[in-house]
Amino acid sequence: MRGEETKVVRQPKTTINNRIIMLSNTIGRRQHYFRSIMSSATRFSSGGPVSEAITTKLQQAFSPTHLEVRNESHMHNVPQNSETHFKVIVISDKFKDAKTPIKRHRLINETLREEVAADGPVHALSIVAMTPDKWQAKLDQGESVGPSPNCRGGDGSLPPKH
């Protein structure tokens, strides 16, 4: 592109605003498309046995339109390849009757009662549970669900991980 002349064409402000809106909508659709691809990949990834059990139970109970099971154990003071800290993102029409977040969380906790029991393998479970309409509104606003914060050390009873 060196040596080429750049021609600047002034366009009316409304045309520019319309193009910005069109570009924003296109980006939003692409983000949603790639998130749905990632969701499918996550859904059927070959995680460990706890991750697979969580995925299977959530799929069977909620028939989600979007499901992510994130093993966030690596962010905590646990041995390598642990399956103790998870974040689940479950988007399902079955949450339409559960109007509050606490009711949706209770449904998920009940589904995963064996995993989150005191003697179960899951120490921590972060839950994002929405209806497809709420999820789409979140995506349309350019929002996403990021990772949980790194562990701040807990009570210090565990040896440092190497």
Side-chain angles (χ1 to χ4, degrees):
M1 298 201 97
R2 275 195 163 164
E4 293 181 17
E5 289 184 28
T6 303
K7 184 177 181 181
V8 177
V9 178
R10 300 258 182 228
Q11 295 184 351
K13 191 174 184 177
T14 56
T15 303
I16 292 170
N17 287 342
N18 288 342
R19 287 189 178 175
I20 290 171
I21 291 168
M22 286 173 37
L23 179 60
S24 175
N25 289 341
T26 300
I27 290 170
R29 282 192 300 273
R30 285 184 182 156
Q31 285 176 337
H32 177 69
Y33 171 74
F34 287 115
R35 282 190 188 112
S36 67
I37 289 173
M38 291 304 294
S39 169
S40 296
T42 302
R43 217 183 268 180
F44 302 108
S45 68
S46 58
V50 178
S51 179
E52 291 297 323
I54 290 171
T55 301
T56 300
K57 287 182 177 187
L58 293 175
Q59 284 175 334
Q60 290 174 351
F62 299 105
S63 303
T65 58
H66 179 91
L67 174 64
E68 292 180 46
V69 177
R70 299 178 184 175
N71 182 351
E72 296 183 330
S73 302
H74 66 280
M75 300 163 58
H76 299 273
N77 192 16
V78 296
Q80 191 172 0
N81 300 320
S82 291
E83 289 190 285
T84 56
H85 296 70
F86 288 90
K87 176 178 279 189
V88 296
I89 302 168
V90 186
I91 311 304
S92 174
D93 283 322
K94 295 196 177 182
F95 295 134
K96 286 186 177 178
D97 293 332
K99 299 290 184 195
T100 64
I102 192 73
K103 287 181 181 177
R104 295 188 293 270
H105 286 213
R106 285 178 179 152
L107 290 171
I108 290 174
N109 279 316
E110 178 59 27
T111 301
L112 301 176
R113 69 183 164 278
E114 293 173 10
E115 287 75 16
V116 298
D119 60 346
V122 176
H123 168 74
L125 180 65
S126 173
I127 300 170
V128 176
M130 297 179 178
T131 62
D133 293 342
K134 294 279 185 183
W135 179 247
Q136 188 58 53
K138 186 176 185 72
L139 294 177
D140 290 346
Q141 292 176 0
E143 297 177 17
S144 64
V145 178
S148 298
N150 284 326
C151 179
R152 298 188 61 172
D155 65 2
S157 64
L158 296 173
K161 74 177 170 181
H162 301 292

